[in-house]
Amino acid sequence: MWLEETASAPVRDELPDILALLGDRSTLARQHAFRIEEAGRPQELDAYRRLRRDAFVHEQHLFQGHDLDDRDTDPRTRVLIARDLSGTIVGGVRLGPAPDGLDIGWWQGGRLVVARAARGPHGIGAALVRAACALAEAEGALRFDATVQQRNEALFRRLGWHRVRETRVAGAPHVLMRWPIGRIEAQASAAKAALGPLLAPLLGPFTTAAPGFTGDDGAPIPGTDMVAACDTIVPSMVERDPGWAGWCAVLVNVNDLAAMGAVPVGLLDALGAADTAHAACVLAGLDRAARAYGVPVLGGHTQLGVPATLTVTALGRTRHPVPGGGGRPGHAVRLTADLGGTWRPGYRGLQWDSTSHRRTADLRTMIGAVASARSAAAKDVSMAGIAGTLGMLAEASGCRAVLDVDAVPRPTGAVMGEWLTCFPGYAMLTADRADAPLLDAGPAEQAVCGELTTGEGVGLRWPDGDITEAVTSTVTGMGTA
């Protein structure tokens, strides 16, 4: 429950303001009338709760005696407070994960309060709401709700919140409001939205050669059992983390083949580097990965004295290539992911390293999982993240996807917002009949965590049954395969 109401709190002992000591009246006149910070000390939490009691118990009579509940004792709950220029706490708000147990990215805000004497033109309540939204998103929330008194609905609408439905709290009429979080859509759009218009001139003459595989990361070679895949590594990674760039160049190509059910048979690399030392670092990482996966480097091209670039082409074999667009409404969606490992140093929240510590036998088992299951549709998770890649599979299949957030396999070291948008090392999304067999994926974990339906885009389904939109339309614009 978000409410904006009364009371005050003791002043905290602080050093004198240097601007006041210097007599800088011009700068002082431009200072904000308050500042917002996170409460941490017991006396700060006590002051915030006194504000709440004055507002919700004594002034509004919503509660009897106190308004405390189990969210106040939940160690995951965060409290933001507002202080005026004297240091007095004049407002606050609490927020944190909504369901008990594991944080699945669903957060709630509540108990917004502003001291009676501090209400008005300063905008303390609005600033606390904005700060709460920023904190929730920074902590990986993908859904952020609040129950708001009806009289405060207009404030939340002005701040960009959306009305969901009417509800009641403490017997009083309220409105459930939701802050729109566009993290997944923004990630998918940045990574893939330009592809359809950009590649349209190339699609016409080639889609007839391999019908049903538009949008796949690999291409069946007509008249053969060969599949070819090709990936370029981001130049900034090649420049600053050359060994990891070499490893990833193998990883992403092998994953592309694996998603199509192909067994990798060889790699070709094209490398540009400033000098031999830099080139050697890239090639060392590539060689380590090729040996780990048991895939030979057949040849390539190396050029020195140029900006850093790295492209690898992979060749594989399969008689039954699995398309990314083979899903149909009613198919169950399964995520198979290696949750071992940790964030790659320097890429926290962006790249999960689940592969560099694995033995060859485990790596080979994982990349053979789609081939063994012969799923109706499969996509390896790319830089669009899990949710964005699911949108690509759904788009190629002419479907909409719904993802059950609490069923998604996830490592304990990653919050949901990071996990659904990062590059996860090894992760495969497949679609097939609900009774299809499990993938033989070695150490990787898997779970049915959604389904394909009619429509387009990707919805996130939460434990209470609500669905929020993660991707509102198509991802690539390339259409049905």
Side-chain angles (χ1 to χ4, degrees), residues 60-71:
Q60 297 186 6
H61 308 292
L62 287 173
F63 301 95
Q64 296 292 324
H66 66 82
D67 72 327
L68 300 176
D69 59 21
D70 56 356
R71 294 298 174 198

Side-chain angles (χ1 to χ4, degrees), residues 309-328:
T309 60
L310 177 61
T311 299
V312 167
T313 298
L315 301 174
R317 289 186 182 276
T318 177
R319 293 187 180 276
H320 305 283
V322 177
R328 298 294 179 265

Side-chain angles (χ1 to χ4, degrees), residues 51-138:
L51 289 175
R52 286 166 38 184
R53 185 173 61 250
D54 289 344
F56 308 141
V57 176
H58 302 312
E59 182 180 345
Q60 297 186 6
H61 308 292
L62 287 173
F63 301 95
Q64 296 292 324
H66 66 82
D67 72 327
L68 300 176
D69 59 21
D70 56 356
R71 294 298 174 198
D72 291 302
T73 56
D74 188 332
R76 304 172 303 168
T77 296
R78 313 278 285 274
V79 172
L80 298 176
I81 53 175
R83 293 183 184 274
D84 65 15
L85 294 180
S86 71
T88 300
I89 295 175
V90 293
V93 65
R94 73 180 187 190
L95 66 157
D100 294 332
L102 186 68
D103 177 7
I104 61 170
W106 173 15
W107 278 43
Q108 287 180 332
R111 298 298 199 269
L112 172 68
V113 62
V114 175
R116 183 192 293 266
R119 299 173 202 167
H122 300 309
I124 295 174
L128 283 165
V129 173
R130 287 192 294 266
C133 294
L135 178 58
E137 291 200 53

Side-chain angles (χ1 to χ4, degrees), residues 433-456:
R433 307 180 321 274
D435 60 350
L438 293 175
L439 278 67
D440 179 11
E445 296 188 27
Q446 57 190 299
V448 172
C449 51
E451 71 267 357
L452 298 181
T453 67
T454 57
E456 63 181 15

Side-chain angles (χ1 to χ4, degrees), residues 27 44-45 47 96 106 121 126-127 207-208 220 271 287 289 292 319 343 348 352 357 363 372-373 406 448 466:
T27 302
E44 293 170 336
L45 294 174
W106 173 15
T207 50
T208 55
L271 171 63
D287 180 63
R319 293 187 180 276
W343 293 115
R348 180 171 183 82
W352 183 264
H357 67 288
L363 294 173
S372 66
D406 61 339
V448 172
D466 274 15

